Amino acid sequence: MVGELGGYYSPHHRSYGAGALEAFAEMVDVSRRARCPLHLAHATMNFSVNKGKAPDLLRLLDEALDHGVDITLDTYPYLPGATYLSALLPSWAAEGGLDATLARLSDPDTRERIRVDIEETGSDGAHGVPMDWSTIEINGVRKAENAHLVGLTVAEAARRQGVPPARLYFDVLAAERLGTSCLMHVGHEENVRTIMKHRTHTGGSDGLLVGDRPHPRAWGTFPRYLARYVRELGVLSLPECVAHLTGRAARRLRLTDRGLVREGYAADLVLFDPDTVRDTATFDDPRQPAEGISHVFVNGVAALDDGSPTGALAGHSLRRRFV
C-alpha cells in the first residue's frame, strides 16, 4: 500500500554493528517483496566488526538496484553517532516502560544479567557488540549534580569514581531516570567516505538539538560535506555534493517544486563561498553556525542576509496528499 500511494519505507534497522549487513539485507528483501521504495537512514557500518566493510554494503545495494529495487540512503559526515545511554540496554530490560526498567536496575541480580548481556554477549541495544566503555561519551544530563560527567566516557567517569564501568552506567541511568544522552565513538572514516560516494546517496544530519553537548552534526553536517569532503579531501566534486544535499533528497521525498534552481520552483536558496564555507561546530562547542554562507532564502524571502539572521519565517510544513 505504501508503495502504491507513492511513499517509501525508511526503517531504523536492527543493527549497525554485529549483523549489520544482514540487517540491511532484510530491509532490501522487504522492499523487494513489498514493491515499495526503500530509504536507508544513516546507512553506516560501525563498530570494530565492520571496519572496512562498506564495500560489502554497497555491493548488496547495487545488486538490488540493478534488479529494479528502488533504494536510496543517507549518511552524516562524522564518525560518532548519538543516542541515549538507555538505548544500549538489551530490549528485554527496557520492556514495560520507564518504571519497569528502573525497577530492574534496582535489583542486583538483574543488573548482573544486564551487565553480562552488554559487556560479554553484546546486547541488541548495543548492536550485538560487547561494550567498549571507552567509546561511550556522556554528552547530556538532566540533573545539575551530574554535570561533571558531561564530556567523559563511561570508562573515564568510572575510573574517577573508582567503580566498574557497568556500575557507573547503571547508577547514572537510575539517577537520571534514563534521561542521559551520549555519543558513540564507533565509526570508521574509510566506511564514511566509501558510502557517501554511492550513486543513490544523500546527505542527512540525523541531528539532535538537545543535551549539554549535542552532536555537532545538527549544526555542521552540510557545511562539513562542502568543506572537508569536497574542498579538503576531494571525495566528492562540488556539483556532486550539492546534488547529494539538495536535488536527490527532494527527489526521494517526491517534492516536485524543490531541490533544484529552476523556473517555477520554490526559491529555497543557499549562497555560499566554496573556498571558505566550513563547519565551526565541534564536540566541545557544538552550537556554532557555519562560516562562508552569506545568504539563505526560504520561499524567496531572506532568512540570512549578508551573514545575519533576518528573523523572517517564510517556511511552512510540506505535506503530500495521497489519493
Side-chain angles (χ1 to χ4, degrees), residues 127-149:
H127 302 269
V129 179
M131 180 55 62
D132 175 359
W133 293 113
S134 69
T135 67
I136 307 301
E137 177 186 346
I138 297 169
N139 75 327
V141 295
R142 284 180 173 174
K143 296 185 177 181
E145 59 262 36
N146 295 320
H148 65 284
L149 298 172

Side-chain angles (χ1 to χ4, degrees), residues 210-291:
V210 298
D212 301 282
R213 290 190 192 178
H215 198 303
R217 65 192 183 186
W219 285 263
T221 287
F222 302 103
R224 183 173 174 82
Y225 266 113
L226 296 166
R228 177 167 173 77
Y229 292 96
V230 173
R231 188 174 65 241
E232 296 173 9
L233 299 177
V235 176
L236 298 170
S237 70
L238 181 59
E240 280 181 311
C241 189
V242 170
H244 285 224
L245 306 183
T246 57
R248 287 189 182 185
R251 188 162 59 248
R252 167 47 82 208
L253 293 169
R254 307 285 174 87
L255 303 178
T256 57
D257 61 350
R258 282 169 170 80
L260 300 174
V261 180
R262 180 177 291 176
E263 185 176 352
Y265 275 48
D268 295 339
L269 303 169
V270 178
L271 280 63
F272 64 89
D273 184 339
D275 294 327
T276 62
V277 64
R278 72 180 186 96
D279 56 308
T280 67
T282 66
F283 287 96
D284 290 333
D285 194 6
R287 292 183 171 91
Q288 297 300 313
E291 293 181 352

Side-chain angles (χ1 to χ4, degrees), residues 116-180:
V116 170
D117 259 13
I118 294 178
E119 291 190 339
E120 299 178 19
T121 306
S123 78
D124 53 355
H127 302 269
V129 179
M131 180 55 62
D132 175 359
W133 293 113
S134 69
T135 67
I136 307 301
E137 177 186 346
I138 297 169
N139 75 327
V141 295
R142 284 180 173 174
K143 296 185 177 181
E145 59 262 36
N146 295 320
H148 65 284
L149 298 172
V150 174
L152 300 178
T153 67
V154 172
E156 290 169 336
R159 279 196 300 271
R160 293 189 182 190
Q161 296 189 20
V163 298
R167 177 177 169 183
L168 184 284
Y169 171 71
F170 294 138
D171 288 350
V172 169
L173 284 181
E176 292 270 313
R177 294 182 62 79
L178 310 188
T180 314

